């Protein structure tokens, strides 16, 4: 009798567990049917988490941009920033570093508090995909906090940030390669090859035209003399990489077409352009620096491309994390 009673109790527990899972699944489906705002205000939703985190990052990036270009008068009033190296010209850089530090602390805190989460409805998953109002106030606080940190610490963080930026570019490069490969395979599949042939051809042609045009303009703007050896080296290496990627992609054993090297060429030309454009205006080889200060549209284009690359990297990494596995 005791064995029968234990068996009945176990069956009852299993049924209750299944019912709880069914109710959670039903509540999640119902939450998907509501508007974005209602999902944002009511509970957690893993589906919208990456979009909200992306939006928070975009707002932080816009804030850093505004601090750099339009916040100098405000930063002058902050006593701690008045003695930064370079005088008033460094106030924008100091502000960006402090916003960057706040952004880093926010996302690193989220990483530490949610790393290793495996179950959909456990507490840490609810913290990851919910509590948005709390996290918005936390992000605002972390944006303000670095402005009260001494300059010496910000200088050290600025040096470390150079290394972090390099690591981020490497991760972004892997993610973008994964995304472009997926896009190329999709367009060349039996289902879409005939339907997308013209679009792929036009897109590949446009990508190569932009790449070659960008390389020519970089030679004109950033290598006006043969003495600009460093700039000539990086521009030439970009051209060599474009040619090498095209040769590998068109090899008979690969046969991946022109789309993959064309889109990757756009990315490496953009990276090279950003690096050369960031040279100090005092550099003789940077003839475009003085004109670029008056051309806000270049800054806007650069910002839009950078955000687009980060969005692609973020979503492709979230969808296909296998691209970071050694196998």
């Amino acid at each position: 009798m005791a064995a029968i009673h234990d068996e009945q109790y176990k069956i009852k527990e299993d049924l209750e567990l299944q019912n709880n899972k069914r109710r959670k699944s039903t509540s999640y489906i119902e939450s998907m049917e509501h508007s974005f705002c209602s999902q944002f205000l009511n509970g957690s939703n893993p589906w919208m988490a990456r979009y909200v985190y992306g939006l928070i990052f975009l707002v932080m990036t816009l804030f850093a941009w505004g601090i750099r270009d339009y916040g100098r008068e405000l930063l002058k009033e902050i006593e701690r920033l008045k003695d930064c190296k370079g005088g008033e010209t460094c106030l924008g850089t100091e502000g960006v570093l402090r916003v960057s530090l706040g952004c880093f602390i926010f996302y690193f805190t989220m990483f530490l508090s949610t790393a290793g989460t495996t179950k959909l409805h456990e507490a840490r998953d609810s913290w990851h995909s919910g509590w948005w109002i709390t996290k918005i106030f936390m992000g605002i606080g972390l944006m303000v906090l670095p402005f009260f940190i001494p300059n010496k610490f910000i200088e050290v963080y600025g040096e470390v940030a150079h290394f972090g930026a390099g690591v981020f570019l490497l991760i972004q490069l892997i993610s973008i390669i994964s995304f472009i490969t997926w896009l190329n395979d999709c367009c060349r599949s039996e289902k879409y090859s005939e339907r997308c042939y013209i679009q792929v051809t036009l897109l590949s042609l446009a990508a190569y035209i932009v790449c070659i045009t960008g390389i020519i303009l970089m030679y004109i703007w950033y290598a006006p003399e043969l003495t600009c050896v460093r700039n000539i080296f990086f521009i030439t290496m970009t051209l060599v990489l474009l040619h090498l990627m095209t040769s590998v992609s068109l090899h008979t054993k690969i046969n991946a077409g022109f789309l993959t090297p064309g889109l990757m060429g756009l990315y490496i030309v953009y990276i090279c352009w950003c690096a050369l454009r960031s040279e100090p205006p005092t550099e003789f080889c940077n003839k475009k620096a003085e004109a670029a200060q008056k051309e806000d549209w270049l800054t806007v284009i650069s910002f839009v491309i950078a955000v687009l690359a980060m969005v692609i990297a973020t979503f492709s990494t979230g969808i296909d994390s296998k691209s970071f596995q050694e196998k």
Side-chain angles (χ1 to χ4, degrees):
M1 292 294 294
I4 296 175
H5 182 269
D6 291 340
E7 185 68 23
Q8 291 177 345
Y9 182 76
K10 185 177 180 181
I11 294 173
K12 184 178 179 181
E13 278 189 338
D14 292 339
L15 290 174
E16 289 180 355
L17 182 61
Q18 291 178 4
N19 290 331
N20 289 333
K21 288 183 178 180
R22 190 180 297 109
R23 282 195 296 268
K24 289 179 179 179
S25 177
T26 304
S27 63
Y28 174 74
I29 295 173
E30 290 176 351
S31 67
M32 294 288 290
E33 297 176 353
H34 292 86
S35 65
F36 186 88
C37 293
S38 63
Q39 293 179 43
F40 180 81
L41 295 174
N42 300 324
S44 63
N45 188 338
W47 174 81
M48 64 176 290
R50 66 178 64 188
Y51 297 98
V52 180
Y53 284 120
L55 182 61
I56 292 174
F57 182 79
L58 176 62
V59 171
M60 291 178 175
T61 306
L62 290 173
F63 181 59
W65 185 10
I67 287 290
R68 187 196 69 178
D69 292 346
Y70 308 105
R72 291 182 180 178
E73 294 299 325
L74 176 63
L75 294 174
K76 288 179 184 179
E77 303 301 323
I78 302 179
E79 188 68 26
R80 294 179 180 273
L81 298 181
K82 287 185 179 181
D83 59 345
C84 65
K85 296 179 180 179
E88 294 183 4
T89 57
C90 74
L91 293 177
T93 303
E94 289 278 351
V96 171
L97 285 175
R98 292 171 188 271
V99 174
S100 171
L101 178 59
C103 182
F104 168 75
I105 295 174
F106 174 80
Y107 282 100
F108 191 67
T109 302
M110 293 305 305
F111 165 73
L112 291 179
S113 60
T114 58
T117 305
T118 56
K119 296 182 179 180
L120 185 61
H121 297 289
E122 68 178 61
R124 286 193 299 169
D125 175 71
S126 299
W127 164 245
H128 164 74
S129 54
W131 297 81
W132 297 117
I133 302 298
T134 303
K135 283 186 280 193
I136 287 175
F137 281 104
M138 184 178 74
I140 294 174
L142 292 175
M143 288 295 100
V144 176
L145 179 63
F147 286 91
F148 298 95
I149 296 177
N151 289 331
K152 293 296 182 181
F153 182 83
I154 298 299
E155 291 175 9
V156 174
Y157 170 75
E159 295 299 324
V160 176
H162 284 103
F163 174 76
V167 174
F168 175 77
L169 281 177
L170 180 61
I171 295 174
Q172 188 181 80
L173 179 63
I174 296 173
S175 300
I176 289 179
I177 290 175
S178 177
F179 172 78
I180 292 176
T181 304
W182 168 82
L183 180 64
N184 186 63
D185 292 341
C186 181
C187 293
R188 291 171 61 86
S189 62
E190 295 181 1
K191 184 178 180 180
Y192 298 105
S193 57
E194 294 183 1
R195 188 188 311 176
C196 300
Y197 178 77
I198 297 177
Q199 292 87 336
V200 169
T201 303
L202 293 177
L203 183 59
S204 303
L205 180 63
Y208 275 94
I209 291 175
V210 174
C211 288
I212 299 301
T213 304
I215 291 173
I216 293 174
L217 290 177
M218 285 192 292
Y219 273 119
I220 296 173
W221 291 343
Y222 304 108
E225 302 289 343
L226 293 178
T227 54
C228 303
V229 179
R230 183 178 58 184
N231 290 2
I232 293 175
F233 171 77
F234 284 112
I235 298 172
T236 305
M237 281 301 300
T238 303
L239 180 60
V240 170
L241 284 174
L242 178 62
H243 176 72
L244 182 62
M245 289 188 300
T246 304
S247 300
V248 172
S249 181
L250 295 180
H251 195 275
T252 53
K253 293 184 178 180
I254 306 297
N255 194 25
F258 288 95
L259 182 62
T260 301
L263 295 180
M264 276 306 304
L266 286 176
Y267 180 72
I268 62 174
V269 167
Y270 165 72
I271 292 297
C272 183
W273 174 61
C274 286
L276 297 176
R277 188 168 177 263
S278 65
E279 287 184 342
T282 54
E283 290 283 343
F284 169 75
C285 297
N286 193 355
K287 294 183 65 175
K288 197 65 180 174
E290 183 177 352
Q293 293 177 353
K294 302 177 182 179
E295 295 178 356
D296 291 338
W297 63 273
L298 286 175
T299 304
V300 174
I301 292 176
S302 178
F303 175 78
V304 170
I305 295 175
V307 171
L308 181 62
M310 283 185 284
V311 168
I312 292 174
T314 302
F315 279 79
S316 62
T317 304
I319 295 172
D320 186 15
S321 59
K322 293 181 180 179
S323 58
F324 291 93
Q325 294 180 1
E326 293 182 2
K327 294 182 180 180

